[in-house]
Amino acid sequence: MNSDILEMLIGAEDYVSGEELSRKLGVSRTAVWKKINALRKEGYVIESATKKGYKLKIMPDLLNKKTISSNLDTNFIGKEIDVMRSVDSTNEEIKRRASAGAESGLIVAADEQTSGKGRLGRVWESDSGGIYFTILIRPELSPNEISAITLAAGYAVCLAIREYTELDAKIKWPNDIIIGSKKICGILTEMAAQTDRVDYVAIGIGINVNHESFPGKISGKASSLYLELGKKLDRNDFFRCVIKKLDKVLSDFLVSFSSEDLNEFRRLCATIGRNVSVKRNGILLEGKATDLTPGGELVITDNSGKEYIINSGEVTVQGIY
Ligand code: BTN
């Protein structure tokens, strides 16, 4: 009910009486008062005045469904959004909801994750200040077409960061977003599939937005939009921009990724033109990243001029990480 009260207070231009809140939410006045106090503890400044009721004065820097959803008007991504204060992992939460029948396009976002997951079994630090979210998609694709969706999602986030902040965000293939040589965003895609049919895909995206610092071992490698820009972002507003871009790019992608998009992806891919190394079946392949295929795979050319096509894996890029 906290979020219902909040939505009513955000939507109201003036005071909302305790009587109206209790009537519309179907709870007692005492329950309303308790929930108002709970919101105050979360950092919401809510003024109360006799005979007038409650008025929201200051919102804390928390993700808020009502603000994110206003004027969103997307095709399918974010038609339903759920915002949680804290969750183990938004990927795990989406998987639970997918098993319970949730629809394609659902986003679950959280201010904090207690067991955020990175690629290759790593931990994803998920302190407050970031945007951590997972999108549920039920595409009519075969399992081997799914890695391209992740590329498209990374490309969309890169475009959103560039548009919203004017920072020179680039893609480290396949789908890290970097600024300079530091990581700003990571994506973990998981799926449930039969051999020839995908049941659902969970695209988990973590963006370092307002972090002021990072713990020791990752501080040399990670940065945030705040650290790069020198000012904090309105996370709800920025998140809306990211969702809109994801909706546009993924809607186009599920029909067919245009050659303009592919060319733009190439232009924004910081990996191309650099010396790289990647392990394939335990063997280290070293060379230069020379191109992307129309399907988004990385072309690596070794010293002898032989070309290798890589469709997944952890690529180390000279000068980045
Ligand atoms: C990476 O290792 O680069 C991928 C990081 C993915 C992190 C995001 S945060 C939201 C979603 N929930 C998770 O537990 N992980 C992903």
Side-chain angles (χ1 to χ4, degrees):
M1 184 185 49
N2 277 10
S3 62
D4 295 340
I5 287 199
L6 194 57
E7 284 183 21
M8 284 182 69
L9 292 177
I10 291 173
E13 295 202 337
D14 206 348
Y15 284 85
V16 188
S17 71
E19 194 270 322
E20 186 179 346
L21 288 170
S22 85
R23 185 167 37 79
K24 289 207 171 140
L25 299 174
V27 295
S28 70
R29 296 278 292 272
T30 316
V32 167
W33 179 78
K34 279 189 181 153
K35 296 300 170 189
I36 293 276
N37 280 342
L39 287 170
R40 284 176 173 146
K41 283 201 181 110
E42 281 187 40
Y44 291 89
V45 178
I46 301 168
E47 210 172 75
S48 51
T50 335
K51 297 211 177 120
K52 286 179 162 178
Y54 302 99
K55 185 172 165 66
L56 179 62
K57 286 282 189 181
I58 297 174
M59 305 243 286
D61 180 21
L62 291 174
L63 293 175
N64 176 275
K65 176 179 168 176
K66 176 115 183 167
T67 322
I68 299 162
S69 312
S70 71
N71 298 321
L72 194 56
D73 195 25
T74 48
N75 282 325
F76 79 115
I77 304 263
K79 283 269 175 230
E80 185 64 41
I81 298 179
D82 198 4
V83 171
M84 306 174 83
R85 284 289 78 89
S86 180
V87 67
D88 52 352
S89 150
T90 54
N91 273 31
E92 292 304 314
E93 182 64 22
I94 275 283
K95 289 196 269 174
R96 291 189 281 266
R97 300 211 190 176
S99 306
E103 283 186 18
S104 191
L106 169 69
I107 291 181
V108 172
D111 282 298
E112 287 174 15
Q113 300 183 113
T114 51
S115 307
K117 304 192 305 178
R119 291 178 65 208
L120 306 172
R122 295 187 192 121
V123 168
W124 182 260
E125 298 290 342
S126 309
D127 299 341
S128 62
I131 300 179
Y132 312 108
F133 67 108
T134 302
I135 309 167
L136 173 66
I137 302 190
R138 298 187 185 273
E140 284 167 22
L141 295 176
S142 61
N144 59 12
E145 291 170 296
I146 295 309
S147 59
I149 288 203
T150 319
L151 291 180
Y155 170 61
V157 175
C158 184
L159 293 181
I161 293 176
R162 293 177 72 86
E163 185 179 301
Y164 196 88
T165 65
E166 296 186 359
L167 288 165
D168 192 20
K170 293 266 173 79
I171 301 155
K172 176 179 178 280
W173 191 91
N175 43 45
D176 284 359
I177 308 302
I178 55 169
I179 295 179
S181 60
K182 291 194 168 175
K183 181 159 168 172
I184 296 286
C185 165
I187 302 184
L188 172 67
T189 299
E190 299 180 80
M191 71 172 159
Q194 329 275 313
T195 4
D196 56 346
R197 193 184 63 85
V198 171
D199 179 15
Y200 69 80
V201 183
I203 308 175
I205 304 179
I207 313 178
N208 301 334
V209 184
N210 285 337
H211 298 73
E212 294 175 3
S213 61
F214 291 90
K217 55 185 184 333
I218 56 169
S219 65
K221 195 177 129 173
S223 188
S224 70
L225 296 175
Y226 162 68
L227 291 172
E228 298 300 321
L229 205 57
K231 66 171 189 208
K232 296 233 167 150
L233 265 62
D234 176 333
R235 287 185 308 142
N236 289 304
D237 198 44
F238 170 62
F239 192 18
R240 191 180 323 109
C241 169
V242 172
I243 296 171
K244 280 186 176 171
K245 205 55 97 184
L246 280 161
D247 183 62
K248 166 89 182 67
V249 171
L250 292 180
S251 303
D252 289 354
F253 171 82
L254 291 172
V255 181
S256 132
F257 213 44
S258 72
S259 57
E260 290 89 61
D261 274 323
L262 194 64
N263 285 338
E264 184 63 355
F265 190 106
R266 278 198 185 94
R267 194 180 73 76
L268 296 178
C269 184
T271 309
I272 294 178
R274 297 202 191 228
N275 290 330
V276 296
S277 59
V278 60
K279 270 215 171 129
R280 295 176 92 209
N281 305 320
I283 298 162
L284 189 70
L285 167 64
E286 289 179 306
K288 190 174 204 162
T290 43
D291 200 4
L292 288 175
T293 68
E297 298 141 307
L298 189 68
V299 182
I300 298 181
T301 310
D302 74 8
N303 280 344
S304 68
K306 190 168 176 206
E307 288 188 348
Y308 298 83
I309 295 192
I310 309 291
N311 56 20
S312 65
E314 194 74 349
V315 178
T316 304
V317 183
Q318 199 177 62
I320 304 183
Y321 56 83

